[in-house]
Amino acid sequence: MTLLKNYLFVGLSLFALTSHAALFDDKEARKKILEVETKAQTNHDAQQATIVELKKKLSAVESLQSQNVQDLQAQIEQLKQEVAQLKGDLEVAAHGLEQAQQRQKDLYADTDARLRKLEGVGTGQTGAPAANTGAASGAPPAVPAAEEKDAKAFADADALSKSAKHKEAFAAFDAFLKEYPTSKLAPDALYGMGYSQFALKNYKSSIATQQKVIDFHPESAKVPDAMYNMANSQIQLGQVTNAKKSLRGLIEKFPNADVTPNAQKRLKMLESIK
């Protein structure tokens, strides 16, 4: 009986120990689970906060980009308007400059015409820088019989010039120079060709031709007339500074030339116009 009680006591003790251990294990498990859940919740909350913060930053960036695009578009439109305004202003300025240049040319041309009347230039040679005088306007100078052929050709060209047939005269003088490049009348023919170019309003070509008279035939009596022709062509082109320079050079180098008094009047006229 006693032995039975002992066995029963031992069995109850073992059962109590087993139950206690099981109870202890269940509490530990719950504690661990709670810790894991808490940690997971903390991580989740942190992730959610991070996501919210990232969304805010992304929204701010998108808003800034949108504002920058709008600002750039506004700047582009403003630049377009400014460019259009500048183009308009440039066109107006160019038109004004063109009108001013034309008025200046008209003023010089009008003054030149009035001055030529005072100088006694015939109406048949309106616009001519100087009467086609000397060897180019009077009877051809006396020449030996061997030179009668080129003298005749020159006289024919000169007659066309005096008849105001300037286009035909130019062609005749040009043909003369090609046929008789070494003739004594070559400087006169070259001057006559430049004279015809001026009458035909080919002012730049006239300047170039008269410059050849000056460069290639510096001893010719036509050099003063050529310089005077150049000055008048420059006036017609509105090259006032160059015209003054040409006239001053003529007056200085050839004070006793027939065209010098006219050159002095022209220079005075140019210097009086502001």
Side-chain angles (χ1 to χ4, degrees):
M1 185 68 177
T2 303
L3 183 60
L4 179 61
K5 288 180 180 181
N6 290 334
Y7 284 134
L8 181 60
F9 177 75
V10 170
L12 291 172
S13 297
L14 291 173
F15 177 78
L17 288 173
T18 302
S19 299
H20 180 72
L23 181 61
F24 178 79
D25 291 340
D26 185 58
K27 286 182 179 179
E28 286 295 324
R30 286 177 178 169
K31 183 178 179 181
K32 292 293 184 182
I33 291 171
L34 182 61
E35 288 177 354
V36 170
E37 289 180 347
T38 301
K39 187 175 182 180
Q41 184 64 40
T42 301
N43 291 338
H44 177 73
D45 292 342
Q47 290 175 352
Q48 289 296 323
T50 301
I51 291 172
V52 170
E53 185 65 24
L54 289 174
K55 286 183 177 180
K56 289 181 179 180
K57 291 181 178 180
L58 179 61
S59 177
V61 170
E62 290 176 346
S63 177
L64 181 60
Q65 289 178 338
S66 177
Q67 183 63 41
N68 289 339
V69 170
Q70 293 177 358
D71 291 342
L72 286 174
Q73 289 177 340
Q75 291 177 9
I76 291 171
E77 290 300 321
Q78 183 177 358
L79 288 173
K80 287 182 178 179
Q81 294 177 2
E82 291 177 357
V83 169
Q85 181 64 37
L86 287 173
K87 286 183 177 179
D89 293 343
L90 182 60
E91 290 177 358
V92 171
H95 181 66
L97 178 60
E98 183 179 353
Q99 288 185 324
Q101 290 176 336
Q102 187 59 49
R103 286 195 299 268
Q104 186 182 48
K105 287 183 179 180
D106 292 342
L107 175 61
Y108 288 134
D110 178 66
T111 306
D112 177 71
R114 287 187 279 112
L115 188 55
R116 277 188 285 102
K117 289 181 180 180
L118 294 176
E119 293 168 355
V121 178
T123 57
Q125 296 177 342
T126 300
N132 200 358
T133 58
S137 61
V143 292
E147 298 179 359
E148 287 182 358
K149 199 171 181 180
D150 61 327
K152 175 66 167 59
F154 177 83
D156 291 342
D158 184 60
L160 291 170
S161 179
K162 292 168 68 175
S163 299
K165 296 180 180 179
H166 301 296
K167 187 175 182 180
E168 294 82 354
F170 170 82
F173 283 124
D174 185 49
F176 177 91
L177 289 168
K178 291 177 181 177
E179 184 71 20
Y180 309 105
T182 60
S183 171
K184 293 181 180 180
L185 295 173
D188 298 78
L190 196 58
Y191 169 79
M193 187 165 69
Y195 175 92
S196 298
Q197 288 171 317
F198 182 94
L200 293 170
K201 298 184 179 181
N202 296 328
Y203 303 121
K204 291 183 179 180
S205 298
S206 179
I207 291 172
T209 301
Q210 301 299 9
Q211 187 64 54
K212 291 179 181 178
V213 177
I214 299 169
D215 294 340
F216 301 151
H217 307 283
E219 303 301 325
S220 172
K222 301 306 293 182
V223 171
D225 291 334
M227 296 178 70
Y228 190 60
N229 188 333
M230 284 183 60
N232 282 281
S233 293
Q234 289 161 344
I235 289 173
Q236 294 299 325
L237 292 173
Q239 300 174 1
V240 181
T241 301
N242 291 339
K244 290 179 180 179
K245 183 178 179 181
S246 297
L247 291 171
R248 290 191 185 106
L250 167 57
I251 296 168
E252 180 181 352
K253 293 179 181 179
F254 305 98
N256 299 319
D258 291 340
V259 294
T260 299
N262 289 342
Q264 292 171 333
K265 293 178 182 178
R266 292 292 173 93
L267 181 60
K268 185 177 181 180
M269 177 269 292
L270 291 178
E271 291 177 339
S272 67
I273 298 176
K274 303 300 182 182

